[in-house]
């Protein structure tokens, strides 16, 4: 709850998606603070134990938590921590070089304090949620007002983030209680979220490592001249060895098959079917004549009996 005598502080950073410098500075500051509180662990995968979680909630462990909403246009980062410790370090390290604008907004006011944390469940690394469509476009979709399609908590998360995006002062966010709860954000991620990339998290492209499969390739020069059997021989960085076949031959060339295929006479199945059909018709006609003759014979015998 908001209380000027509280020990916790919340800060909001909103800027363009491609502002990699801001992302790196903010994440570096958060990482340094959390690594000092919990040294020797991977913050991205670490989960607080029961005792540590209680210390974080009580304000005796200096840890910064929060979340980051990412789309193709913008980033919204909300963090919380102890105002006189970690959060004051972030204020000093990031500073403020210019007034708020549409490209970047920093909503920071240490006079607004809170008595409890809201995002401890997101652990010690920022919870990143990547939206499929930009927030501005999603808010224009009629389906968000249909409770059969979008749950109320998901709608509230969208509404709070949209109002936060347009706010000019932290006081507007605090007095209107525009901080979405973790449950709201989880519903938002389930409905409108998609997979997160390295650039979404850290602001930099993932560097793919190229694996060198040739051993000692840096030690072998391009052209080697050596002597074999009294003769000079040049090798272009290739080892001389016998070719070892480790699987059955896959060559489809077969002379026997080609000769057989050339001399083979394909059957005319259509002509065969026509012959069979003609024979069947003749047999049917023969049976019909035989039945007619039998019927006439029976009819003559019947008349004689009369």
């Amino acid at each position: 709850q908001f209380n000027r005598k509280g020990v916790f502080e919340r800060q909001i950073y909103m800027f363009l998606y491609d502002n990699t410098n801001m992302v790196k500075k903010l994440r570096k500051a958060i990482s340094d603070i959390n690594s000092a509180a919990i040294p020797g662990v991977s913050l991205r995968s670490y989960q607080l134990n029961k005792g540590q979680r209680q210390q974080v909630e009580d304000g005796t462990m200096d840890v910064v938590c929060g979340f980051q909403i990412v789309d193709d246009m913008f980033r919204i980062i909300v963090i919380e921590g102890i105002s006189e410790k970690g959060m004051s370090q972030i204020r000093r390290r990031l500073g403020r070089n210019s007034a708020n604008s549409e490209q970047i907004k920093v909503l920071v006011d240490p006079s607004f304090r809170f008595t409890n944390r809201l995002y401890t469940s997101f652990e010690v690394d920022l919870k990143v949620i990547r939206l499929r469509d930009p927030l501005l476009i999603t808010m224009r979709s009629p389906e968000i007002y249909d409770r059969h399609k979008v749950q109320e908590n998901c709608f509230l998360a969208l509404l709070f983030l949209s109002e936060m995006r347009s706010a000019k002062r932290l006081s507007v966010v605090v007095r209107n209680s525009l901080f979405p709860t973790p449950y709201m954000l989880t519903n938002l991620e389930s409905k409108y979220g998609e997979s997160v990339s390295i650039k979404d998290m850290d602001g930099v492209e993932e560097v793919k490592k190229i694996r060198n499969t040739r051993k000692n390739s840096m030690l072998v020069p391009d052209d080697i001249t050596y002597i074999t059997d009294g003769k000079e021989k040049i090798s272009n960085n290739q080892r001389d060895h016998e070719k070892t076949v480790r699987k059955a031959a896959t060559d489809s060339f077969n002379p026997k098959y080609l000769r057989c295929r050339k001399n083979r006479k394909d059957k005319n199945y259509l002509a065969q079917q026509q012959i069979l059909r003609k024979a069947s018709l003749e047999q049917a006609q023969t049976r019909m004549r035989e039945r007619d003759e039998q019927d006439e014979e029976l009819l003559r015998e019947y008349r004689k009996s009369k």
Side-chain angles (χ1 to χ4, degrees), residues 151-174:
Q151 296 182 8
E152 182 178 2
N153 284 289
C154 180
F155 169 75
L156 290 176
L158 289 170
L159 179 63
F160 288 177
L161 291 172
S162 178
E163 293 296 326
M164 183 185 296
R165 173 72 182 84
S166 60
K168 296 182 179 180
R169 294 181 179 274
L170 184 64
S171 58
V172 176
V173 179
V174 174

Side-chain angles (χ1 to χ4, degrees), residues 28-280:
K28 182 67 168 58
I30 296 173
S31 177
D32 291 346
I33 295 168
N34 292 348
S35 295
I38 312 175
V41 300
S42 174
L43 298 177
R44 185 156 291 175
S45 59
Y46 186 77
Q47 292 184 345
L48 298 169
N49 58 41
K50 186 176 181 180
Q52 291 173 333
R53 193 176 299 276
Q54 186 62 41
Q55 291 178 348
V56 172
E57 295 286 353
D58 294 342
T60 55
M61 178 179 287
D62 185 20
V63 168
V64 177
C65 305
F67 65 90
Q68 179 180 183
I69 303 295
V70 181
D71 60 33
D72 292 336
M73 298 171 58
F74 229 76
R75 297 177 187 265
I76 300 177
I77 300 179
V78 178
I79 58 175
E80 66 177 5
I82 301 175
S83 179
E84 300 298 333
K85 296 182 179 180
M87 301 301 280
S88 64
Q89 293 184 37
I90 294 176
R91 290 197 302 271
R92 290 195 301 270
R93 292 177 63 167
L94 268 68
R96 186 190 290 271
N97 299 323
S98 60
N100 288 340
S101 63
E102 290 300 321
Q103 285 72 36
I104 181 171
K105 286 184 182 181
V106 178
L107 305 184
V108 176
D109 189 343
S111 64
F112 289 97
R113 303 288 184 88
F114 299 86
T115 57
N116 62 344
R117 286 180 178 265
L118 189 58
Y119 304 112
T120 309
S121 59
F122 290 155
E123 305 300 339
V124 293
D125 191 38
L126 290 180
K127 169 70 173 179
V128 182
I129 299 176
R130 145 68 78 165
L131 300 180
R132 287 193 299 271
D133 300 313
L135 180 62
L136 297 176
I137 295 177
T138 303
M139 289 302 297
R140 296 175 183 175
S141 175
E143 75 167 9
I144 65 175
Y145 302 101
D146 186 351
R147 290 297 158 265
H148 295 287
K149 295 183 178 180
V150 179
Q151 296 182 8
E152 182 178 2
N153 284 289
C154 180
F155 169 75
L156 290 176
L158 289 170
L159 179 63
F160 288 177
L161 291 172
S162 178
E163 293 296 326
M164 183 185 296
R165 173 72 182 84
S166 60
K168 296 182 179 180
R169 294 181 179 274
L170 184 64
S171 58
V172 176
V173 179
V174 174
R175 298 188 188 281
N176 290 282
S177 300
L178 297 180
F179 291 103
T181 65
Y183 183 70
M184 294 178 186
L185 294 172
T186 302
N187 275 268
L188 174 64
E189 183 179 26
S190 299
K191 181 65 177 178
Y192 293 105
E194 66 175 7
S195 59
V196 178
S197 66
I198 297 296
K199 187 175 182 180
D200 294 337
M201 292 186 290
D202 301 332
V204 294
E205 294 286 355
E206 181 179 7
V207 178
K208 295 183 179 180
K209 296 182 179 180
I210 301 176
R211 185 177 179 182
N212 188 1
T213 57
R214 179 175 293 181
K215 296 181 179 180
N216 301 326
S217 62
M218 299 300 293
L219 302 178
V220 181
D222 292 338
D223 295 327
I224 303 175
T225 303
Y226 58 96
I227 306 299
T228 57
D229 298 332
K231 296 181 180 181
E232 188 178 275
K233 185 177 180 180
I234 298 177
S235 174
N236 293 323
N237 201 12
Q238 295 179 353
R239 295 182 179 180
D240 296 329
H241 57 83
E242 295 182 359
K243 184 177 180 181
T244 303
V245 179
R246 300 181 181 275
K247 60 181 179 179
T250 58
D251 194 352
S252 62
F253 180 74
N254 189 333
K256 293 182 179 180
Y257 170 76
L258 294 177
R259 287 195 298 269
C260 179
R261 183 70 181 86
K262 183 178 181 180
N263 300 326
R264 186 179 69 182
K265 295 182 179 180
D266 295 331
K267 293 182 179 180
N268 191 341
Y269 292 99
L270 182 60
Q272 291 181 356
Q273 291 298 321
Q274 290 177 349
I275 294 173
L276 292 174
R277 180 174 178 274
K278 184 178 180 180
S280 299

